[in-house]
Amino acid sequence: MALIRSYRLTPWLPLLIVGASLGYAVTVVTRLPWWTLFPIAALWLTLGLKLRWGAPQRERYKPVWPWSLVPLSLLGIYVYLADSFGNVDLGAVFFHLQAGMTDHGGGGKMVIAALYVLTMLALLISITWMARRDPRWRLTERFFALALLAINPLLYGLGQRSAAIVTDDGEWLDRRYVAPPTAMRSDDPPNLLLMYLESLERTYSSDIFGDAYADLEALGERGWVFEGVRQMDNTGWTMAGMIASQCGVPLMPAGLLHDTQFEPLTQVVPGVNCLGDVLAGQGYRLSYLGGASSQFAGKGLFYNGHQFQTVKGKEDWLAKLDDQQYVNSWGVYDDTLYSETEREIRRLENEDDGPWAVVNLSLAGHSPHGFPSQTCIDRQGDFDGQDILFSVKCSAWQARDLIERLEAEGLLDNTLVVLQSDHLTMRVPVWDQLTALDRDNTLIMLGDGLEPRRIRRNATMLDVFPTLLEAMGMTLDEHRAGLGVSLLGDRSTLTETHGLNVLNERLREETALQHRLWEGLAPQRQNATPSPAEQVVETPSDAPLEVENVSR
């Protein structure tokens, strides 16, 4: 009891817990280095002891529950998400909750989450202790609670999404949607190898990251390199990046406006035609191969639902492994995946039953530290478990090695090879350096007749879809498909016309496109719907912008 009484009269421990939590939160949501949490905590502790917080001269104990407990808990959730992923995307949270988290590879994050919970409990206990013993805290923490609610980006994002229900114009994006084509220009359509390189953004090509990106630079010298492919909202995680680049739309979760919001998804964006639907209509044989589970985040649902005949993931590779222990927390390593990719392409070539398209998704570059294969460790030296640039270099080299092996065997004749990042990387050890740069996604195309060329446009992943279709020889009306505009034409992208901030604002207000994605039905409108080829303008002042061409 003496120890308890001593603790009640000694406010330094709760002050230290609050100060350390404050310092940590500041370092997470800003670009300040991690060690600045110590001077912030020290300053808080010094100020608290000087002002006798928690130990006023006339202490009056009152068993109250602080108003700020719930706001603090909500802010703690935001800090955890920001610390784990960098930029917090509510769309990703909603989508993964509905699409399923089966076989996720974030086991290591469970320990971190548990530590966060314990820290939050200590913080809430400290705040309660202070409020019960110091009338100054009881008074001010009520205003503090309101301030916490006001500054929490998580609540701000939820408020914006809720406001979409009553927005004046929830059809701005949907009016600009153009269905993809169904006709090929060529009598000899090319095969397609589409390689998604997990989190391998083009920003890694900066000199400050050494030669981590060098192998992709070498590949780019042989074909088309696209610069300026930026990341709009709802395209910043793997499924969102794939859907944006294969369907030309941002991945708006089924969400609060959907009738089955509390049920698991059985389809993924069934209301729009995507790359698989277009190619299947041309007689392509389609395969998706991933290192992670195809059940995670609806990948299997998406590819099966959009006419891929072969869909394989971790669960299909495990039985084939000679060493059952040669796996990581997400799935199989890239050397295993690329061996299976090579085997699949060889099978499709031997069948000689029309053109084929193979899509694969690597794992080596996955945040926070990556998963380099043993093949890379044998080549690059020991991996310390922390160096993301080691993993980036591994991912780039293995992609180049696979392409060169396939070329040497003649398996890429009349084949368009596309290498792209699925999204910008999430929080990694070089996060501060990355976020200080002008970030963009990787997009490289190789193939017969593609002369080396660098194309710099102000674009998003939505524009990859029509660009890919045109590169394969399809004719697009005004170079458009989905919400994207081909980067091979002279028409302005939505980003070039309106700016990325405007697109993100319009996305937060959009409801009609959401219904299109998940119900497959365009909403009823009083006015006639414009034809797909017609460009819609909102005001006369928009007209010259909407038809602006980009000279090359």
Side-chain angles (χ1 to χ4, degrees), residues 244-287:
S245 57
Q246 293 185 41
C247 311
V249 292
L251 178 48
M252 304 180 72
L256 300 177
L257 300 180
H258 198 265
D259 291 338
T260 58
Q261 58 181 300
F262 298 114
E263 297 294 330
L265 296 178
T266 56
Q267 299 180 81
V268 175
V269 294
V272 292
N273 284 335
C274 299
L275 179 66
D277 305 300
V278 174
L279 295 184
Q282 303 297 321
Y284 275 74
R285 295 162 293 152
L286 308 175
S287 300

Side-chain angles (χ1 to χ4, degrees), residues 370-423:
F371 299 98
S373 66
Q374 187 61 47
T375 304
C376 288
I377 293 173
D378 294 341
R379 179 176 179 268
Q380 296 173 218
D382 292 336
F383 175 54
D384 63 4
Q386 301 292 318
D387 185 6
I388 186 62
L389 296 182
F390 185 104
S391 301
V392 169
K393 183 176 178 63
C394 170
S395 180
W397 173 75
Q398 286 194 140
R400 179 182 181 182
D401 181 61
L402 172 63
I403 290 170
E404 291 178 346
R405 291 202 318 262
L406 293 170
E407 287 176 333
E409 199 173 332
L411 296 175
L412 294 184
D413 295 342
N414 190 32
T415 299
L416 176 67
V417 179
V418 180
L419 301 103
Q420 70 169 96
S421 49
D422 53 345
H423 53 77

Side-chain angles (χ1 to χ4, degrees), residues 167 169-179 232-235 243-244 247-254 257-258 269-272 462 482-484 494 503 506-523 525:
T167 185
D169 185 5
E171 304 177 4
W172 192 88
L173 289 171
D174 191 64
R175 285 198 299 270
R176 287 157 175 78
Y177 178 83
V178 175
M232 72 175 291
D233 291 349
N234 287 48
T235 66
I243 287 172
C247 311
V249 292
L251 178 48
M252 304 180 72
L257 300 180
H258 198 265
V269 294
V272 292
L462 308 181
L483 294 175
L494 287 177
L503 285 188
R506 291 293 189 176
L507 178 62
R508 287 189 286 269
E509 298 174 352
E510 185 75 19
T511 56
L513 181 64
Q514 182 184 35
H515 283 295
R516 179 188 292 273
L517 296 181
W518 294 103
E519 298 179 20
L521 298 174
R525 307 183 181 92

Side-chain angles (χ1 to χ4, degrees), residues 13 26 108 130 146-147 161 181 215 234 249 252 270 277 290 312 315 320 380 382 391 415-416 458 461 536:
L13 182 57
V26 169
M130 299 286 288
L146 294 176
R161 290 177 183 276
D215 287 295
N234 287 48
V249 292
M252 304 180 72
D277 305 300
K312 293 184 177 181
E315 52 277 2
K320 298 182 178 181
Q380 296 173 218
D382 292 336
S391 301
T415 299
L416 176 67
N458 192 0
M461 293 287 268
V536 180

Side-chain angles (χ1 to χ4, degrees), residues 188-393:
D188 185 22
N191 302 315
L192 172 66
L193 173 58
L194 174 54
M195 300 176 64
Y196 286 101
L197 306 179
E198 172 67 51
S199 302
L200 210 66
E201 60 185 84
R202 203 182 71 86
T203 322
Y204 282 121
S205 65
S206 171
D207 292 340
I208 66 174
F209 301 119
D211 65 347
Y213 196 85
D215 287 295
L216 292 186
E217 290 275 34
L219 285 174
E221 292 174 358
R222 299 167 38 192
W224 295 344
V225 176
F226 297 85
E227 302 175 355
V229 181
R230 312 202 182 280
Q231 183 164 289
M232 72 175 291
D233 291 349
N234 287 48
T235 66
W237 68 96
T238 295
M239 275 302 298
M242 285 201 225
I243 287 172
S245 57
Q246 293 185 41
C247 311
V249 292
L251 178 48
M252 304 180 72
L256 300 177
L257 300 180
H258 198 265
D259 291 338
T260 58
Q261 58 181 300
F262 298 114
E263 297 294 330
L265 296 178
T266 56
Q267 299 180 81
V268 175
V269 294
V272 292
N273 284 335
C274 299
L275 179 66
D277 305 300
V278 174
L279 295 184
Q282 303 297 321
Y284 275 74
R285 295 162 293 152
L286 308 175
S287 300
Y288 166 77
L289 312 176
S293 172
S294 60
Q295 298 178 45
F296 176 70
K299 285 196 289 287
L301 293 176
F302 172 70
Y303 284 103
N304 281 314
H306 290 275
Q307 305 193 54
F308 276 67
Q309 295 92 6
T310 300
V311 178
K312 293 184 177 181
K314 177 183 75 172
E315 52 277 2
D316 300 287
W317 316 130
L318 291 180
K320 298 182 178 181
L321 290 177
D322 294 331
D323 180 2
Q324 292 291 308
Q325 302 302 312
Y326 188 54
V327 292
N328 55 61
S329 59
W330 277 101
V332 299
Y333 288 94
D334 285 357
D335 50 4
T336 301
L337 173 67
Y338 287 166
S339 293
E340 294 296 338
T341 300
E342 190 174 3
R343 186 175 291 110
E344 178 69 5
I345 291 176
R346 192 178 294 115
R347 177 187 72 82
L348 292 168
E349 279 288 303
N350 290 338
E351 287 180 355
D352 193 21
D353 189 25
W356 51 261
V358 173
V359 178
N360 68 18
L361 170 64
S362 71
L363 279 176
H366 199 292
S367 64
H369 309 296
F371 299 98
S373 66
Q374 187 61 47
T375 304
C376 288
I377 293 173
D378 294 341
R379 179 176 179 268
Q380 296 173 218
D382 292 336
F383 175 54
D384 63 4
Q386 301 292 318
D387 185 6
I388 186 62
L389 296 182
F390 185 104
S391 301
V392 169
K393 183 176 178 63

